[in-house]
């Protein structure tokens, strides 16, 4: 990647790729006369920056299919518009996590990162348990135990959100569960609908900031061997699979990005609007020439009717807040695509990340790097023998396998070049979930 530093700033031009997912290239153009180049960062400085938001959580429960997860976040601006949340269920087995990539400000991503998983959690537990929970004094935090969550909403806005959550729970409690995928889909759509109602009913800068900004989301729900991945927008989820014979890593994408490179998604939008709008609904590979993801939560300036826009949005934000060629809204939906995958013995981990990672690394590269990282962790763990009688030959084989892993870790050293400040212009958030052995 070539980076040109101009007056302490870099303008990034993202070009669409035409080959495999993750091969996107970024090119940079000069926007001002060159003055002085920023100093390079040393490898030590790079590591400090990269590890500032690093977090690791290990689970000791034997009945949990998730052994651990690791998260990290690197922002290009402050406050960072990307968020992440991870939690375990309080009333059933399972693990749930999500990555949320915001745009137009951090408000929407911050809000849905704390609310969406709670909506999903209430929706996927059996209705008998749900009714038992709501018969007591409950709130939106009664269904999940969140990890690495150090803040909550201010009282004023929290009361609004709690009222919406109560109405959602009361509504689903009288309905039977169809399947997990439908419940997750309903949680996405219900929260998005609540964001709209809250902004129009409680008109203030907080609720409108959430409604006018937006976020894409990718959520993973793991329950025993069932993995559901729900995706709205252009985050990516990739499964790391290890071949038992060779030990080589393979990647498997579990979702499709909703952007202009997804021809099926483009056709879906064009079919929902008159032929006269086919040249304006998607222009310059963006929705109405403005929005890169073609699905998102929030972003109601692409969803509300013209009447609502003129009544609530224009007086507060001005005429420019209405997108050009805004004739037949809605142009945007929050509906996710939900994929179901049954975990097998060779499925070792899942990586979820915003496009800030996938723009620079292919799924195969990411899986290879994470796989090597997990192998190096195993070297430091005490060797565990299987229950029952174990022969000396079996112990010898296990020690030999550990020696091979040690040799591979030594040989797979990664060399980092000094990083310039501008090379970190792309913010991203990444989650890696390690799956316990199923053998």
């Amino acid at each position: 990647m070539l980076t040109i530093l101009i007056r302490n700033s870099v303008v990034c031009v993202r070009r669409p790729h035409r080959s495999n997912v993750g091969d996107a290239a970024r090119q940079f153009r000069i926007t001002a006369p060159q003055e002085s180049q920023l100093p390079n960062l040393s490898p030590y400085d790079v590591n400090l920056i990269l590890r500032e938001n690093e977090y690791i959580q290990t689970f000791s429960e034997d009945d949990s299919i998730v052994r651990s997860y690791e998260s990290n976040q690197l922002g290009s601006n402050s406050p960072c518009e990307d968020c992440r949340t991870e939690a375990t269920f309080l009333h059933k087995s399972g693990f749930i996590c999500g990555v949320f990539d915001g745009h137009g400000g951090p408000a929407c991503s911050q809000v849905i990162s704390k609310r969406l998983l709670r909506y999903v959690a209430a929706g996927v537990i059996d209705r008998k348990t749900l009714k038992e929970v709501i018969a007591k004094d409950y709130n939106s935090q009664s269904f999940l135990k969140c990890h690495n969550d150090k803040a909550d909403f201010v009282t004023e806005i929290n009361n609004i959100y709690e009222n919406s959550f109560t109405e959602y729970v009361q509504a689903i409690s009288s309905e039977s569960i169809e399947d997990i995928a439908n419940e997750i889909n309903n949680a996405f759509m219900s929260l998005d609908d609540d964001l709209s109602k809250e902004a129009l009913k409680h008109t203030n800068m907080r609720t409108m900031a959430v409604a006018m900004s937006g976020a894409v989301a990718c959520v993973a729900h793991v329950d025993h061997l069932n993995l559901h991945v729900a995706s709205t927008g252009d985050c990516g989820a990739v499964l790391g699979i290890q071949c038992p014979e060779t030990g080589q890593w393979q990647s498997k994408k579990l979702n499709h990005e909703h952007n202009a490179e997804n021809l099926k998604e483009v056709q879906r939008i064009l079919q929902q609007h008159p032929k006269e709008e086919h040249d304006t609904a998607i222009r310059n590979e963006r929705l109405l020439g403005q929005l890169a993801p073609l699905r998102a939560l929030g972003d109601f300036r692409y969803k509300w009717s013209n009447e609502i826009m003129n009544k609530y949005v224009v007086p507060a934000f001005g005429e420019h807040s209405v997108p050009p060629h805004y004739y037949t809204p809605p142009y945007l939906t929050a509906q996710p695509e939900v994929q179901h995958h049954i975990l097998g013995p060779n499925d070792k981990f899942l990586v979820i990340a915003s496009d800030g990672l996938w723009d620079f690394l292919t799924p195969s590269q990411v899986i290879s790097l994470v796989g090597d990282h997990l192998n190096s962790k195993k070297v430091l763990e005490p060797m565990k023998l299987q229950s029952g009688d174990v022969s000396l030959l079996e112990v010898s084989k296990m020690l030999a396998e550990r020696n091979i892993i040690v040799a591979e870790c030594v040989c797979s050293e990664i060399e980092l070049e000094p990083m310039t400040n501008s090379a970190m212009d792309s913010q991203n958030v990444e989650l890696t979930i390690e799956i316990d052995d199923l053998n």
Side-chain angles (χ1 to χ4, degrees):
M1 180 185 70
L2 173 65
T3 302
I4 303 175
L5 298 168
I6 307 297
R7 294 180 61 86
N8 298 338
S9 65
V10 175
V11 175
C12 173
V13 181
R14 190 179 300 187
R15 299 284 182 86
H17 57 277
R18 303 301 180 190
S19 55
N20 295 332
V21 175
D23 293 337
R26 289 193 175 190
Q27 299 181 358
F28 299 89
R29 56 185 171 85
I30 298 177
T31 59
Q34 185 173 4
E35 288 187 352
S36 60
Q37 190 176 34
L38 295 174
N40 288 342
L41 297 176
S42 68
Y44 175 79
D45 294 328
V46 170
N47 280 326
L48 286 181
I49 295 172
L50 292 179
R51 303 191 67 173
E52 181 179 3
N53 297 308
E54 190 177 73
Y55 181 81
I56 301 174
Q57 177 76 39
T58 302
F59 301 102
S60 57
E61 295 84 354
D62 293 334
D63 60 344
S64 175
I65 193 66
V66 175
R67 175 185 295 178
S68 65
Y69 78 83
E70 303 184 18
S71 67
N72 204 351
Q73 190 168 339
L74 176 65
S76 63
N77 50 16
S78 181
C80 180
E81 293 179 330
D82 289 7
C83 298
R84 35 123 298 271
T85 303
E86 311 84 38
T88 48
F89 289 85
L90 294 177
H91 305 287
K92 76 179 193 72
S93 63
F95 176 82
I96 187 170
C97 64
V99 165
F100 311 92
D101 186 352
H103 48 262
C108 186
S109 61
Q110 290 176 351
V111 168
I112 67 171
S113 70
K114 300 184 71 65
R115 298 180 67 187
L116 181 56
L117 300 194
R118 300 173 184 178
Y119 275 60
V120 174
V124 298
I125 66 173
D126 66 87
R127 292 299 181 254
K128 180 181 178 181
T129 303
L130 178 62
K131 291 177 181 179
E132 292 175 352
V133 173
I134 64 179
K136 306 173 184 178
D137 185 18
Y138 78 99
N139 57 30
S140 64
Q141 301 184 48
S142 300
F143 299 88
L144 290 174
K145 177 184 177 181
C146 292
H147 308 285
N148 194 27
D149 188 6
K150 303 174 182 177
D152 208 343
F153 303 115
V154 296
T155 303
E156 175 190 353
I157 204 74
N158 189 63
N159 291 337
I160 296 175
Y161 293 160
E162 287 295 333
N163 290 335
S164 296
F165 183 79
T166 299
E167 293 178 1
Y168 164 73
V169 170
Q170 293 292 339
I172 65 174
S173 64
S174 60
E175 302 172 354
S176 60
I177 292 183
E178 296 183 19
D179 60 59
I180 298 300
N182 285 337
E183 296 301 326
I184 296 175
N185 178 82
N186 182 53
F188 271 70
M189 299 302 288
S190 296
L191 175 58
D192 196 58
D193 187 50
D194 285 345
L195 296 179
S196 174
K197 292 177 180 178
E198 292 157 0
L200 299 178
K201 182 178 180 180
H202 308 277
T203 306
N204 57 60
M205 290 309 297
R206 284 195 178 99
T207 57
M208 288 302 291
V210 175
M212 293 298 287
S213 59
V216 299
C218 187
V219 172
H221 170 247
V222 185
D223 187 3
H224 298 292
L225 299 182
N226 293 294
L227 167 64
H228 287 85
V229 174
S231 176
T232 293
D234 54 6
C235 291
V238 179
L239 190 66
I241 306 171
Q242 188 173 36
C243 177
E245 289 80 14
T246 64
Q248 297 297 312
W249 292 101
Q250 297 176 342
S251 62
K252 179 179 180 179
K253 280 188 62 64
L254 295 182
N255 71 318
H256 303 285
E257 291 85 355
H258 301 129
N259 53 32
E261 297 174 31
N262 186 335
L263 297 182
K264 183 179 179 180
E265 188 69 6
V266 172
Q267 292 172 356
R268 179 189 66 81
I269 294 176
L270 296 181
Q271 290 173 357
Q272 293 176 351
H273 300 278
K275 291 183 179 180
E276 294 76 14
E277 294 188 61
H278 284 192
D279 291 334
T280 59
I282 297 181
R283 300 182 63 190
N284 299 322
E285 300 184 337
R286 291 173 177 263
L287 188 69
L288 295 175
Q290 296 183 343
L291 189 64
L294 302 183
R295 297 193 194 189
L297 290 97
D299 280 321
F300 289 99
R301 58 195 297 253
Y302 303 102
K303 299 174 182 177
W304 280 334
S305 66
N306 281 291
E307 291 75 16
I308 292 178
M309 295 289 284
N310 291 328
K311 182 177 180 180
Y312 294 95
V313 177
V314 173
F317 299 93
E319 293 284 349
H320 68 279
S321 59
V322 181
H325 310 290
Y326 197 74
Y327 306 126
T328 57
Y331 291 89
L332 188 67
T333 181
Q335 185 169 20
E337 285 188 306
V338 184
Q339 303 292 334
H340 178 214
H341 176 80
I342 299 178
L343 295 170
N346 300 329
D347 299 333
K348 300 302 182 181
F349 59 87
L350 175 71
V351 177
I352 308 175
S354 59
D355 61 346
L357 177 70
W358 306 117
D359 282 346
F360 291 98
L361 294 174
T362 66
S364 296
Q365 290 173 325
V366 170
I367 295 305
S368 178
L369 288 170
V370 175
D372 289 342
H373 166 64
L374 294 181
N375 283 340
S376 65
K377 286 175 59 178
K378 291 180 180 178
V379 173
L380 302 178
E381 294 179 353
M383 188 177 73
K384 297 181 181 179
L385 298 180
Q386 300 176 356
S387 59
D389 296 333
V390 181
S391 67
L392 290 177
L393 179 60
E394 291 173 331
V395 174
S396 176
K397 289 181 178 179
M398 294 174 65
L399 290 173
E401 290 176 356
R402 287 172 65 89
N403 287 335
I404 293 175
I405 293 176
V406 171
E408 289 177 347
C409 292
V410 171
C411 294
S412 61
E413 180 179 344
I414 301 173
E415 182 179 356
L416 291 177
E417 295 182 358
M419 181 183 292
T420 61
N421 290 343
S422 62
M424 296 163 51
D425 86 299
S426 174
Q427 63 184 6
N428 69 79
V429 59
E430 177 185 353
L431 275 169
T432 301
I433 307 169
E434 185 178 4
I435 302 167
D436 210 348
D437 289 334
L438 303 178
N439 294 315

